[in-house]
Amino acid sequence: MIYPQNSSHKLGFDDIRNAIKDLCMSEMGRGMVDKIQPMTNFEQIDKFLRQSNEFKNIIQNDQPLPIQSFYDIKKLADKAKLEGAFLNEEELFQIYLTLQTAFAVIKYFEDRNGIYPNLEALFEHLPIEKSIVRHIEAVLDAKGKMKPNASRLLAELTGAIAKAEQEVLRKIDQIYKHAQGNNWVADGSLTVRDGRVCIPILAENKRKIKGFVHDESASGQTVYLEPEEVFNLNNKIRDLEFERRREVIRILTELTNQLRPYVPILYSYHSFLTKVDFVRAKSLFAIDLGATMPKLLKDTQIKLRNAKHPLLLMASRENGKAVVPLNIRLDAGVRIVLVSGPNAGGKSVAMKTVGLMQMMIQAGLLIPADEESEVGIFKQIFADIGDDQSIESDLSTYSAHLSKMKYFTEHANGRTLILIDEFGTGTDPLFGGPIAEAVLEQLNHKKAFGIITTHYSNLKVFANNTEGLENASMIFDNVHLQPLYMLEMGKPGSSYAFEIAQKIGLAKHLIDLARTKISAQQQKVDSLLVDLERDKKDVLENKIALEKQKRKYEQLLAENQKQKAYYEENKRNLLREAKSEAQQIIKSANKLVENTIAEIKNSKADKSKTQELRAGLDKAFKANENKPIKPNKPVEKAESIEVGDWVKLADSENFVQVLEVAKDNLIVAFGELRSVVKRNKVSKVSNKQVPKAVKHFGTSSYTESAANFSAEIDVRGKRGEEAVAEIERYLDRAVMFGFPSFKIIHGKGDGILRKLIRNYLKNYPQVVKMEDEHVDRGGDGITYVYLS
């Protein structure tokens, strides 16, 4: 599928593999990364991509996957499979730890059933075989060592060895003290020689104690002697240890025999954890690159939006240079893009970006491009990059290029992606250009897809006049004479040879001489390209400016429409209310008139009664008259009141001190009492007017505590009731001081304290919202509390 084989290295795919390997936890995962290759099966590629995307979601948004430690249990299962073989304590403990990790991971996904379907497929139909763990736990302790009571005989032997060792220590200590009392002992204490506890004896006294000399000092003045009684006891201990070792081997052999039937499922657990490590490493790499999952298509087409070369992204962290994104499309209408432009302008990077992105997608790796990107599947990827001259094969640079062109034209088809760098170079341009054009025509005839970089003018003309091909160029700032590394579709680019030569300081007379040596037609074409580039740049700048103006106009229009709608709705509401009020007034007036007429009739038009009723009617009408709005009297400027000032309450004549000023409200304090009063309900007084007793009973301590109040409380390590009580006191002060929010550091643990605190705070109407801290700054170990 990949031709030639070194293309993956030249495109940078090997570097991608190495970066992912560094993120693996196990050697098995790294081995799996080594086998990553582009695939052609749609379902398989889609599954791999979705697995990586789901694992990426776990890392970024869910609880961490419980992967503690796991080992290569396949090798251990291979060993256990052999009749008569046994696994030692360390190997059995490695199986135990690995199974604990496997069971925890399976349980993690079972608790989230249906959320990560593609990752759940990794352990589909894989049972949690607890009996393996129980067999091992019956023999090994929590540290992976053989339990002293793993069998009755082992317990007896362990006890006998301990008793004998105590007897040895008691006996040798007794002999040592006796020798010390007789001054037979040299300087130093008891020591070990050849695994035996010995007494350092002066050489002239060595025959005064029966025993065996195991060593002597360099000077020969001290011998290291094991007393005869101790020697016999040590021999007994050694025999017991041999028996114990035989019993340990018997137990391990029996345990291995018990595990032998489970060898196939051990292979399954090994495969499962290896795949988890593999997918995890791919997802971590994707997060590191900011990679996403594009839309995968079954047909052959490419649409990359804001794609960035992965290796350049990795390098940008070191050199601090921004990576310019690439936007490109290959489909049935434009299958081959011919990229031209100046040297060092980014042509090769654009071509390699497309090639590397395609290899990554078909290998099941997420790519650093927008999610709106679309990528199809190619059966073949051909690449001609760099110099492949070969002394052994007697191939020059150009011959190597031609041999590849031969293979390309013979094997290319509609599902082939071809990548060619500097097409046609390596020989006389007079002949290299036509050959390259012929090859390009053949590739186009075979409906192949590709990205090709070139400087040849005849290829630019051919692409401009041929269906299925399109020119593209790397934008160059011809004012500052520097590349912008942006790909522009639809037109060829100039090589800017003379401009670049001028920038690097080549003598002007040499540049002028060179200009006279190129054909007038070529000079005209190159100048035209430069002019087109300049005009295109001006058009682009004008377009950007127009777009900004358009967005500003649309924003203003939207705001105007919104205001208009608001005023129209307000007008309708006011009219509706006015009509309703007018109807009510009319009804009341009609009723009043009717009642007045009725009463006049009842009084038989009594003059005094009629005058009284008429006066009442006039009074009712005047009550509904529109009174002219009197102009507001100028408000006298209120006396300035600041924090710390003393004021007198208008309704109680009490003196209080101002703690905070908020528009027309003042927060004041009298001793430990706090209150909010309107500014117009107090009058400022001088310090002299305030009685000393009131000042002494004042709020200096409160003001000081308000200044030192911290919007953070730490209750880690406290009991639930103690923590809640402290938070209650803290919340009262936070509300009193007017803090909009604060955070509670309670730690993660089992989440019990976090739940208790949040349930308690829900009872406070002042608490508007609670949320976790950002995952990088403590996550659910810290609760943010927002107050109204």
Side-chain angles (χ1 to χ4, degrees):
M1 176 194 166
I2 307 293
Y3 179 83
Q5 285 299 318
N6 64 355
S7 298
S8 60
H9 172 71
K10 291 189 174 183
L11 286 170
F13 191 68
D14 290 352
D15 295 323
I16 298 295
R17 270 198 296 245
N18 291 333
I20 296 174
K21 280 173 66 175
D22 292 340
L23 298 170
C24 288
M25 297 175 62
S26 67
E27 194 59 41
M28 301 87 73
R30 286 186 280 274
M32 205 165 178
V33 174
D34 282 331
K35 298 176 183 178
I36 294 179
Q37 288 292 344
M39 302 168 286
T40 56
N41 182 276
F42 177 85
E43 285 72 21
Q44 194 172 15
I45 296 170
D46 186 62
K47 180 183 71 174
F48 279 24
L49 289 173
R50 292 186 183 279
Q51 285 175 350
S52 297
N53 205 41
E54 288 178 359
F55 211 119
K56 175 186 166 189
N57 187 36
I58 288 176
I59 296 172
Q60 292 180 321
N61 304 312
D62 209 334
Q63 295 292 327
L65 203 66
I67 303 177
Q68 300 299 328
S69 57
F70 61 93
Y71 301 87
D72 188 356
I73 61 173
K74 182 178 183 299
K75 292 180 180 178
L76 304 181
D78 289 340
K79 181 179 177 181
K81 189 167 60 173
L82 300 174
E83 290 289 341
F86 69 89
L87 300 173
N88 61 36
E89 294 164 82
E90 183 182 358
E91 291 170 337
L92 287 166
F93 196 55
Q94 287 180 359
I95 290 178
Y96 177 80
L97 293 176
T98 302
L99 292 188
Q100 294 284 44
T101 298
F103 296 163
V105 173
I106 293 173
K107 180 70 166 52
Y108 179 93
F109 286 115
E110 286 179 346
D111 291 342
R112 294 160 175 77
N113 184 34
I115 299 178
Y116 307 111
N118 293 280
L119 288 174
E120 289 173 12
L122 294 176
F123 63 91
E124 193 173 13
H125 309 305
L126 185 62
I128 296 179
E129 193 57 71
K130 292 280 189 180
S131 53
I132 305 176
V133 173
R134 285 195 292 270
H135 286 313
I136 297 175
E137 286 177 340
V139 173
L140 302 183
D141 61 18
K143 295 182 179 179
K145 301 300 179 183
M146 178 77 69
K147 290 181 177 179
N149 61 346
S151 73
R152 180 181 297 177
L153 178 58
L154 184 64
E156 292 174 356
L157 290 171
T158 302
I161 290 171
K163 186 176 179 181
E165 286 175 343
Q166 289 176 358
E167 179 65 20
V168 166
L169 292 173
R170 187 189 65 78
K171 195 71 177 174
I172 199 166
D173 187 58
Q174 181 182 350
I175 297 170
Y176 178 66
K177 288 179 179 177
H178 176 71
Q180 272 184 323
N182 292 312
N183 294 321
W184 298 341
V185 179
D187 292 338
S189 58
L190 293 172
T191 185
V192 176
R193 289 291 187 275
D194 296 330
R196 302 278 187 155
V197 180
C198 299
I199 301 173
I201 301 289
L202 293 171
E204 63 265 21
N205 299 322
K206 66 181 179 181
R207 301 197 181 277
K208 294 179 180 179
I209 300 176
K210 288 185 179 182
F212 301 90
V213 176
H214 287 281
D215 198 4
E216 66 178 9
S217 64
S219 63
Q221 294 179 358
T222 303
V223 296
Y224 298 96
L225 183 141
E226 180 184 14
E228 186 178 30
E229 300 95 318
V230 176
F231 178 80
N232 293 330
L233 285 171
N234 277 331
N235 284 342
K236 180 183 177 181
I237 291 173
R238 184 161 291 184
D239 290 340
L240 288 171
E241 286 177 341
F242 283 143
E243 286 187 51
R244 185 182 186 281
R245 177 61 185 160
R246 285 192 293 272
E247 177 61 12
V248 167
I249 291 174
R250 186 195 68 77
I251 294 171
L252 293 176
T253 303
E254 183 179 340
L255 178 56
T256 304
N257 292 338
Q258 291 174 332
L259 298 184
R260 190 166 292 118
Y262 298 106
V263 164
I265 199 168
L266 289 178
Y267 287 150
S268 299
Y269 288 137
H270 172 273
S271 175
F272 166 59
L273 288 178
T274 299
K275 291 174 183 175
V276 168
D277 186 26
F278 172 65
V279 179
R280 172 185 171 276
K282 292 195 298 180
S283 303
L284 286 172
F285 181 68
I287 292 172
D288 195 35
L289 289 180
T292 63
M293 179 179 170
K295 183 178 180 182
L296 186 66
L297 307 174
K298 291 187 177 180
D299 56 353
T300 48
Q301 61 173 290
I302 298 174
K303 185 183 78 172
L304 294 177
R305 292 188 58 184
N306 293 324
K308 297 179 180 179
H309 196 289
L311 301 180
L312 286 182
L313 271 178
M314 293 163 64
S316 67
R317 297 188 184 93
E318 298 178 6
N319 56 34
K321 294 182 179 178
V323 180
V324 179
L326 173 71
N327 295 286
I328 192 169
R329 180 168 191 144
L330 300 179
D331 53 28
V334 177
R335 287 177 286 97
I336 299 177
V337 174
L338 198 74
V339 184
S340 52
N343 286 320
K347 299 190 304 296
S348 298
V349 171
M351 180 265 298
K352 289 180 179 179
T353 300
V354 174
L356 183 55
M357 292 282 186
Q358 190 63 40
M359 291 188 72
M360 288 176 66
I361 281 293
Q362 293 194 212
L365 302 177
L366 305 181
I367 59 173
D370 287 356
E371 291 180 348
E372 293 80 10
S373 300
E374 298 176 358
V375 183
I377 298 175
F378 292 89
K379 296 289 186 183
Q380 303 176 119
I381 298 177
F382 297 160
D384 180 17
I385 302 170
D387 184 358
D388 278 342
Q389 61 179 323
S390 171
I391 296 175
E392 294 82 1
S393 304
D394 193 25
L395 287 177
S396 66
T397 301
Y398 188 63
S399 298
H401 286 312
L402 284 180
S403 65
K404 291 179 186 175
M405 293 306 107
K406 176 178 180 294
Y407 185 90
F408 291 2
T409 53
E410 290 175 354
H411 296 88
N413 55 45
R415 301 190 70 85
T416 303
L417 177 65
I418 296 174
L419 308 166
I420 303 176
D421 195 22
E422 301 295 348
F423 194 25
T425 57
T427 189
D428 187 342
L430 189 63
F431 303 103
I435 292 175
E437 186 175 331
V439 170
L440 183 58
E441 184 175 356
Q442 180 66 10
L443 294 175
N444 185 46
H445 177 70
K446 292 204 166 190
K447 307 295 183 184
F449 291 74
I451 306 291
I452 298 173
T453 71
T454 188
H455 288 284
Y456 283 4
S457 298
N458 67 307
L459 296 181
K460 301 174 188 178
V461 174
F462 179 74
N464 189 59
N465 298 323
T466 306
E467 187 178 350
L469 275 66
E470 184 165 349
N471 277 303
S473 62
M474 304 306 299
I475 300 178
F476 189 80
D477 186 347
N478 50 23
V479 176
H480 301 94
L481 298 179
Q482 60 184 19
L484 300 179
Y485 305 109
M486 296 172 61
L487 181 70
E488 184 178 24
M489 301 293 293
K491 74 176 188 64
S494 168
S495 297
Y496 290 94
F498 294 126
E499 289 80 1
I500 294 174
Q502 179 182 339
K503 183 183 178 183
I504 65 172
L506 192 66
K508 186 176 183 303
H509 71 277
L510 292 177
I511 297 174
D512 293 338
L513 180 61
R515 288 184 189 275
T516 63
K517 293 184 178 293
I518 63 173
S519 66
Q521 183 63 27
Q522 180 60 42
Q523 195 169 12
K524 183 177 179 182
V525 169
D526 206 52
S527 298
L528 180 61
L529 288 174
V530 172
D531 292 340
L532 281 172
E533 183 71 38
R534 186 182 298 110
D535 293 343
K536 186 77 173 180
K537 185 171 179 291
D538 292 340
V539 170
L540 181 63
E541 290 175 351
N542 291 333
K543 184 179 179 182
I544 292 172
L546 284 172
E547 285 293 331
K548 287 182 179 178
Q549 291 291 335
K550 182 181 177 183
R551 283 196 297 270
K552 187 176 180 181
Y553 166 75
E554 289 174 349
Q555 184 180 358
L556 290 172
L557 183 62
E559 290 178 0
N560 184 47
Q561 292 291 342
K562 187 177 179 181
Q563 290 288 343
K564 183 179 179 182
Y566 171 77
Y567 287 129
E568 288 293 333
E569 180 65 23
N570 203 27
K571 179 182 176 182
R572 285 193 293 270
N573 290 337
L574 288 173
L575 286 173
R576 187 162 49 249
E577 291 173 4
K579 287 179 180 178
S580 176
E581 188 176 349
Q583 288 174 355
Q584 189 63 38
I585 291 171
I586 291 170
K587 287 180 182 178
S588 300
N590 288 337
K591 189 174 181 181
L592 181 62
V593 170
E594 290 172 359
N595 290 339
T596 302
I597 294 171
E599 289 188 24
I600 291 173
K601 286 181 179 179
N602 291 336
S603 65
K604 296 182 180 179
D606 182 70
K607 187 174 182 182
S608 60
K609 184 67 175 177
T610 300
Q611 287 178 348
E612 181 184 343
L613 291 172
R614 193 181 290 275
L617 192 62
D618 290 340
K619 185 179 179 181
F621 286 152
K622 287 179 180 178
N624 289 290
E625 282 182 355
N626 279 330
K627 298 178 181 179
I629 299 173
K630 296 180 180 179
N632 292 330
K633 294 181 180 179
V635 180
E636 295 182 5
K637 187 176 181 181
E639 192 174 7
S640 175
I641 298 177
E642 298 178 353
V643 174
D645 288 345
W646 287 91
V647 295
K648 186 167 67 173
L649 300 177
D651 53 357
S652 65
E653 298 295 318
N654 286 328
F655 295 93
V656 292
Q657 190 174 22
V658 178
L659 299 178
E660 187 177 338
V661 179
K663 295 185 178 178
D664 294 332
N665 295 327
L666 302 177
I667 299 176
V668 297
F670 179 72
E672 293 299 322
L673 298 176
R674 314 285 178 258
S675 181
V676 179
V677 298
K678 292 291 184 181
R679 185 192 289 264
N680 58 6
K681 297 293 184 181
V682 300
S683 58
K684 185 176 178 180
V685 295
S686 64
N687 286 339
K688 294 179 180 180
Q689 294 175 272
V690 182
K692 291 183 178 179
V694 174
K695 287 184 179 179
H696 180 70
F697 191 56
T699 61
S700 59
S701 62
Y702 175 87
T703 307
E704 183 180 353
S705 64
N708 297 328
F709 186 77
S710 171
E712 177 182 305
I713 179 171
D714 190 342
V715 295
R716 288 177 292 184
K718 299 183 184 296
R719 290 183 295 105
E721 294 178 0
E722 183 183 359
V724 167
E726 189 169 334
I727 289 171
E728 182 179 14
R729 291 191 296 271
Y730 181 88
L731 179 61
D732 290 341
R733 296 178 69 204
V735 173
M736 189 183 301
F737 295 154
F739 273 68
S741 66
F742 63 91
K743 64 180 180 181
I744 304 172
I745 304 174
H746 44 66
K748 296 184 179 180
D750 297 327
I752 298 173
L753 184 58
R754 169 178 172 271
K755 186 176 180 181
L756 178 66
I757 291 170
R758 292 196 177 187
N759 287 339
Y760 171 76
L761 290 175
K762 287 178 182 177
N763 298 322
Y764 275 83
Q766 293 91 343
V767 176
V768 178
K769 183 177 68 171
M770 290 176 284
E771 65 183 16
D772 292 344
E773 171 63 282
H774 189 277
V775 69
D776 293 337
R777 297 189 289 274
D780 58 4
I782 297 174
T783 294
Y784 254 103
V785 181
Y786 295 89
L787 304 175
S788 58

